[in-house]
């Protein structure tokens, strides 16, 4: 402005151009510094967000890993428990099967013994019936008589007896 007022327009114009160039240069330097600073700040914020995102992903993965580990541990525990129970059940079934076989065998023995005993008792009944006097024989000695003989089981421990000796009739009712 001073050169312009003194009429030195050429020098005023050159000074004005130098001023503009310096101003642009300073502005560009300041702008470059500000832009550089802003870019660094942006990059730092971006790195910070990336780090936070990575930490968040790591935490999520850690939680997922812990959760999966717990689920796997529970599944393994359940599998072991089921396996043990199954093995115990098989052992119990084998033991029960052996016991059933033994019971069946003992039952067969008992059935055979019962058949043998029943056959012996039936034979004893036939012997007892053969020894007891017949009602027709007794009615020849006693008039108006009857025999009530009801064994509790197949063979009775009680019995009756009649015999005639030298004109005398002897009658006995015996309780064994």
């Amino acid at each position: 402005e001073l050169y312009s007022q003194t009429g030195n327009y050429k020098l005023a114009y050159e000074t004005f151009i130098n001023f503009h160039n310096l101003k642009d240069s300073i502005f560009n330097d300041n702008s470059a510094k500000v832009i550089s600073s802003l870019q660094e700040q942006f990059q730092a914020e971006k790195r910070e967000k990336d780090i936070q995102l990575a930490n968040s992903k790591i935490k999520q993965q850690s939680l997922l890993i812990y959760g999966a580990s717990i689920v796997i541990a529970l599944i393994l525990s359940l599998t072991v428990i089921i396996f043990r129970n199954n093995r115990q059940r098989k052992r119990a079934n084998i033991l029960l099967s052996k016991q059933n076989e033994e019971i069946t065998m003992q039952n067969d023995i008992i059935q055979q013994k019962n058949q043998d005993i029943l056959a012996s008792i039936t034979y004893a009944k036939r012997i007892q019936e053969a020894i007891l006097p017949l009602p027709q024989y007794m009615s020849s000695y006693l008039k108006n008589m009857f025999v009530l003989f009801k064994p509790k089981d197949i063979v009775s421990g009680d019995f009756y007896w009649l015999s005639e000796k030298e004109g005398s009739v002897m009658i006995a009712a015996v309780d064994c």
Side-chain angles (χ1 to χ4, degrees):
E1 286 179 25
L2 185 66
Y3 287 137
S4 171
Q5 287 174 1
T6 56
N8 195 352
Y9 297 111
K10 184 177 178 185
L11 195 54
Y13 176 72
E14 287 176 5
T15 305
F16 179 73
I17 292 210
N18 282 335
F19 168 74
H20 245 303
N21 288 338
L22 284 175
K23 180 181 167 190
D24 285 345
S25 173
I26 291 172
F27 178 76
N28 285 342
D29 284 345
N30 284 338
S31 294
K33 286 180 184 177
V34 167
I35 289 172
S36 175
S37 172
L38 288 174
Q39 283 180 339
E40 287 178 19
Q41 184 179 1
F42 174 75
Q43 292 296 330
E45 288 176 3
K46 185 178 176 185
R47 280 190 299 262
E48 184 68 30
K49 285 185 181 180
D50 288 344
I51 290 171
Q52 288 176 353
L53 184 62
N55 284 339
S56 174
K57 285 184 180 181
I58 289 172
K59 285 180 184 179
Q60 286 176 347
Q61 289 175 348
S62 295
L63 287 175
L64 184 63
I65 289 171
Y66 289 137
S69 298
I70 290 172
V71 168
I72 289 171
L74 288 173
I75 289 172
L76 285 175
S77 299
L78 187 60
T79 303
V80 167
I81 290 170
I82 290 171
F83 180 74
R84 284 184 181 172
N85 286 343
N86 193 20
R87 191 168 39 174
Q88 287 176 348
R89 192 176 312 120
K90 283 181 182 178
R91 286 180 186 163
N93 285 341
I94 290 170
L95 181 62
L96 285 174
S97 177
K98 287 179 182 178
Q99 289 175 346
N100 283 342
E101 288 175 12
E102 186 175 327
I103 289 171
T104 302
M105 189 174 74
Q106 290 174 352
N107 191 23
D108 291 344
I109 291 170
I110 290 171
Q111 289 295 329
Q112 184 62 43
K113 295 287 182 185
N114 280 342
Q115 287 176 355
D116 292 347
I117 291 170
L118 186 60
S120 293
I121 291 173
T122 304
Y123 187 69
K125 177 184 177 190
R126 288 194 320 188
I127 292 172
Q128 188 178 45
E129 288 174 347
I131 293 175
L132 292 174
L134 296 172
Q136 297 88 349
Y137 174 72
M138 292 174 68
S139 65
S140 65
Y141 291 104
L142 302 169
K143 305 292 180 226
N144 295 328
M145 57 80 65
F146 68 93
V147 176
L148 179 63
F149 184 69
K150 290 181 145 184
K152 178 181 170 242
D153 294 313
I154 298 172
V155 176
S156 175
D158 303 334
F159 64 93
Y160 59 93
W161 179 74
L162 181 127
S163 180
E164 185 268 326
K165 194 157 200 167
E166 299 173 6
S168 298
V169 176
M170 293 181 273
I171 299 173
V174 181
D175 181 7
C176 289

